[in-house]
Amino acid sequence: MVQSNGNKDFRFAKALWTEIAKTFKQRKCYNILGVAFTTSPPSANGAYQYGQLFKDLGIGETYRIA
């Protein structure tokens, strides 16, 4: 399980998901449960970048993210 607190931006997300992807590969884990607490919602524009970020990190259909 991954927990995150505070405001989120794409730079933060990139660092977080890079670390998660590294852990996925090291432990051969394909399931992740994430819990995030934030004081402001992420922007819609930033959300469009996540698809490419996941592709770049090799996070594909094999992984289950909740």
Side-chain angles (χ1 to χ4, degrees):
M1 181 169 77
V2 175
Q3 288 186 312
S4 173
N5 296 311
N7 290 333
K8 313 294 184 278
D9 61 14
F10 187 73
R11 186 176 66 189
F12 171 84
K14 184 175 181 179
L16 177 68
W17 283 104
T18 298
E19 188 64 28
I20 290 170
K22 185 172 116 181
T23 302
F24 276 162
K25 292 172 185 160
Q26 288 174 343
R27 297 186 183 185
K28 297 185 184 341
C29 175
Y30 302 102
N31 302 304
I32 184 168
L33 172 62
V35 178
F37 300 97
T38 184
T39 56
S40 62
S43 72
N45 290 338
Y48 288 112
Q49 297 174 316
Y50 281 80
Q52 186 62 48
L53 174 63
F54 287 175
K55 184 176 180 179
D56 293 345
L57 294 174
I59 299 173
E61 295 176 4
T62 305
Y63 298 91
R64 295 187 313 164
I65 302 169

